[in-house]
Amino acid sequence: ARILLVSTIVLVLAIAVPFLTPKTVFDEKKLAEIARKALAKESKNATRIINNVIDLMRKEYPDYIEKGDKWLFNNAGGAMGSMTVLHASFSEYVIIFGSAIGTEGHTGRFLADDWFTILYGEQWAYKAGAIEREVYKPGDQHHLPFGVAKGYRMPEACWALEYARGNILSMMPFGIFDTFSSTLDLWTLWETVEVSGTQMIKNLLRGKI
């Protein structure tokens, strides 16, 4: 009973703390500006665009952005892509996410705001009941507000700079549960937890929630 009580308290605190004591570093407008600056240098080659974005992010946020040299598969909401985690803390994450061949699925419905700035290709999206699709092209920023869900599609190769702000821990089940219902890719599950968890703990220890 004591272990259950302690576990419950830890879980409640992990969910509540990001709301009670937010300490955010990133700004969605600045990230859009960085993406557009990278696109001004290169707009045709996805690899160079991504490398330019990571370089600019590390210059703008030198204390908070990782090298971006480790890529992971990500299966969530029926969609499959790959990502590199540039920052993960309890209140924010920044990743490069996309697919070289296109994908589609459910965005998720989160206790967080999410900004998806297109770097290469296109993303299509729609809300339930929408007859016409939303179309986002390089330089466009797609905002998914707190508690809102959409369907989305990347019809072909597409890459984006994604930034989420809010209760990041509550987003993690969406990002890993396809492992158990579909892919059974335990290696990717381990890498995702290891990379994200390590960054979250590292940032927490230096006071970045």
Side-chain angles (χ1 to χ4, degrees):
R2 183 176 297 176
I3 294 175
L4 179 60
L5 176 60
V6 172
S7 299
T8 302
I9 292 173
V10 170
L11 179 60
V12 169
L13 287 174
I15 293 174
V17 164
F19 288 122
L20 298 175
T21 56
K23 182 182 178 184
T24 57
V25 170
F26 303 96
D27 177 78
E28 66 276 8
K29 293 180 181 178
K30 173 59 68 173
L31 268 59
E33 179 184 318
I34 287 172
R36 290 164 190 153
K37 189 178 293 186
L39 287 166
K41 293 182 179 180
E42 171 63 58
S43 62
K44 302 297 184 183
N45 185 289
T47 300
R48 287 200 289 268
I49 294 170
I50 291 169
N51 288 338
N52 287 342
V53 167
I54 294 174
D55 288 344
L56 290 169
M57 288 290 292
R58 286 176 62 81
K59 289 177 182 177
E60 183 68 29
Y61 303 101
D63 296 329
Y64 294 100
I65 292 294
E66 301 293 325
K67 294 180 180 179
D69 55 359
K70 186 175 182 64
W71 286 86
L72 315 169
F73 277 133
N74 178 255
N75 290 80
M80 180 174 182
S82 62
M83 67 177 181
T84 184
V85 182
L86 301 180
H87 175 88
S89 59
F90 285 96
S91 60
E92 298 176 288
Y93 78 66
V94 181
I95 65 174
I96 302 288
F97 173 82
S99 168
I101 60 174
T103 190
E104 66 178 310
H106 190 291
T107 60
R109 191 185 300 273
F110 304 120
L111 301 176
D113 283 89
D114 188 277
W115 291 269
F116 205 77
T117 307
I118 306 301
L119 303 176
Y120 182 87
E122 288 188 5
Q123 184 197 43
W124 302 346
Y126 70 99
K127 294 181 181 179
I131 307 303
E132 301 293 333
R133 70 191 179 205
E134 304 164 21
V135 178
Y136 300 92
K137 298 183 178 184
D140 293 340
Q141 189 174 72
H142 178 191
H143 178 210
L144 187 70
F146 183 108
V148 173
K150 296 182 182 180
Y152 80 95
R153 183 182 183 191
M154 296 171 166
E156 296 182 353
C158 179
W159 298 95
L161 175 65
E162 183 176 0
Y163 167 52
R165 182 172 65 228
N167 191 323
I168 301 306
L169 196 63
S170 70
M171 301 175 74
M172 294 193 72
F174 176 79
I176 64 176
F177 271 20
D178 274 24
T179 299
F180 306 105
S181 64
S182 177
T183 68
L184 302 180
D185 184 357
L186 298 179
W187 178 251
T188 291
L189 172 63
W190 163 250
E191 286 190 312
T192 301
V193 172
E194 189 269 334
V195 169
S196 300
T198 298
Q199 289 193 34
M200 283 179 160
I201 292 170
K202 182 177 74 173
N203 283 307
L204 183 63
L205 289 175
R206 63 180 179 178
K208 169 63 177 78
I209 296 175

